Amino acid sequence: MPETKDSAAHIVERLSSSYGVTSQRALASCLDVPSNNVSAWVQRKSVPGNAIIKCALDTGADLKWLVTGEFAFAKNESLKITKKDTSSSGHVLLKKMLSSGGRAVLSRIIEAYGFRTQKELGEHLNISSGTISTWVRREYFPGDVVITCALDTGASLEWLATGEMGIASLEETTSSGIPMVSKKILLAGKLDDDGFCYIDQSFVPDGVNLNNLNFVRSGKSSWLIEMGVNELSNGSWLLDIDGTLDIYTVSKRPGNKIRIIGHDGEFECLINEVKAKGLVVVILKNAI
């Protein structure tokens, strides 16, 4: 959690300000927790991440301001949530958050960071693999880690917490207008999700459907691939050959045949003996 424990009282003050309430009892009602919980947080000098996430999603308050107090609170009066409004919507939100714990929330956190394994996440956040395994086994919702991930990566807090808002919504909120595309890793003939990345549109050839564009990497090579294109022509392609995916150079031959060149050899076959999964539109190679 990106906040010192002795600031719990200040966090409670910012939570109260966000909801527009003045007492700990009223804040507890807004957060849908027992009335004595808030005072216990102050005494223990630790506010649970779940409460902070719920407040941010309920009221629209800036997450970093709630956690650190670094930014001025500039939320319009019209955005304040009344006790009556919160008692209903807040309960539903809390239920969604807690029911989205365990493996589901862990997968979203790993995806937001762009990691591939739980081990990478644990090393980045200095959390033991045993602790992460416990989240999965007990369907636990790690609120503090969700907050850290949102602040670190800029991923949608709502998506991280509930899974209901796609991470691709980041594209709509960035001022740069640079499109976000899915990242994939090609490993052992399989294509696995590898997070998201931003692509400068000037690198993409005209006519390419950005919605179908994937950044695919394998070893020291990577490609921009327009997925779903399946009418084979001369060029580089992502092909499925006998259930195994790889990148090949394709050239057409008479008699409905094609010549296929891969990293470990070349051969000819009938065009219907392979399945085209996507057209390579840009080839990128590591200079090292």
Side-chain angles (χ1 to χ4, degrees):
M1 181 95 177
E3 175 76 342
T4 57
K5 289 186 177 182
D6 62 359
S7 63
H10 294 140
I11 293 178
V12 167
E13 289 177 2
R14 293 191 289 271
L15 294 175
S16 299
S17 176
S18 299
Y19 280 112
V21 298
T22 58
S23 69
Q24 292 184 357
R25 182 180 294 273
L27 177 60
S29 177
C30 291
L31 293 173
D32 199 30
V33 298
S35 57
N36 61 343
N37 276 29
V38 178
S39 60
W41 299 341
V42 175
Q43 292 173 4
R44 293 198 305 265
K45 299 181 180 180
S46 177
V47 178
N50 295 9
I52 299 172
I53 294 171
K54 183 178 180 301
C55 178
L57 296 180
D58 270 347
T59 70
D62 180 76
L63 178 62
K64 189 169 185 179
W65 176 81
L66 287 174
V67 174
T68 68
E70 289 184 2
F71 295 114
F73 185 56
K75 183 164 62 66
N76 293 333
E77 291 292 322
S78 61
L79 294 178
K80 286 186 177 179
I81 308 297
T82 64
K83 178 179 177 181
K84 180 179 180 181
D85 294 332
T86 305
S87 63
S88 175
S89 63
H91 178 74
V92 173
L93 173 61
L94 187 61
K95 185 177 180 181
K96 288 179 181 177
M97 286 168 50
L98 298 183
S99 66
S100 185
R103 188 177 300 279
V105 70
L106 176 61
S107 296
R108 293 193 294 274
I109 292 170
I110 291 174
E111 183 175 330
Y113 274 113
F115 296 145
R116 287 174 289 165
T117 64
Q118 295 181 18
K119 181 180 179 182
E120 288 178 292
L121 178 66
E123 290 175 349
H124 178 73
L125 297 177
N126 196 25
I127 298 174
S128 70
S129 58
T131 297
I132 295 177
S133 297
T134 300
W135 297 349
V136 176
R137 187 172 65 254
R138 297 183 179 178
E139 290 296 322
Y140 175 69
F141 181 85
D144 289 357
V145 177
V146 169
I147 290 175
T148 301
C149 179
L151 294 177
D152 281 350
T153 68
S156 161
L157 181 62
E158 183 176 355
W159 174 74
L160 285 172
T162 68
E164 292 190 351
M165 186 176 181
I167 192 172
S169 64
L170 283 172
E171 179 182 345
E172 299 174 0
T173 60
T174 55
S175 58
S176 63
I178 300 175
M180 181 191 292
V181 300
S182 296
K183 287 176 61 182
K184 307 285 186 181
I185 181 170
L186 184 60
L187 187 64
K190 302 296 182 183
L191 203 60
D192 294 323
D193 291 334
D194 193 31
F196 296 84
C197 65
Y198 291 98
I199 296 294
D200 189 330
Q201 195 167 343
S202 64
F203 288 102
V204 181
D206 293 338
V208 173
N209 186 343
L210 293 176
N211 293 327
N212 295 335
L213 195 64
N214 280 193
F215 177 90
V216 179
R217 65 185 180 91
S218 178
K220 294 183 178 181
S221 297
S222 53
W223 308 266
L224 292 180
I225 300 178
E226 186 177 7
M227 307 299 290
V229 180
N230 51 29
E231 188 174 342
L232 279 173
S233 60
N234 294 339
S236 296
W237 291 82
L238 174 65
L239 299 181
D240 180 338
I241 300 179
D242 296 332
T244 300
L245 297 177
D246 208 343
I247 303 295
Y248 298 93
T249 299
V250 174
S251 58
K252 300 189 73 172
R253 291 288 188 265
N256 207 32
K257 293 182 178 181
I258 53 175
R259 182 180 181 224
I260 296 177
I261 302 175
H263 63 272
D264 56 358
E266 59 182 83
F267 61 93
E268 286 192 4
C269 66
L270 293 174
I271 199 168
N272 60 5
E273 291 180 323
V274 301
K275 296 179 182 178
K277 307 300 288 187
L279 172 64
V280 175
V281 297
V282 177
I283 299 176
L284 304 168
K285 289 192 175 182
N286 195 326
I288 299 176

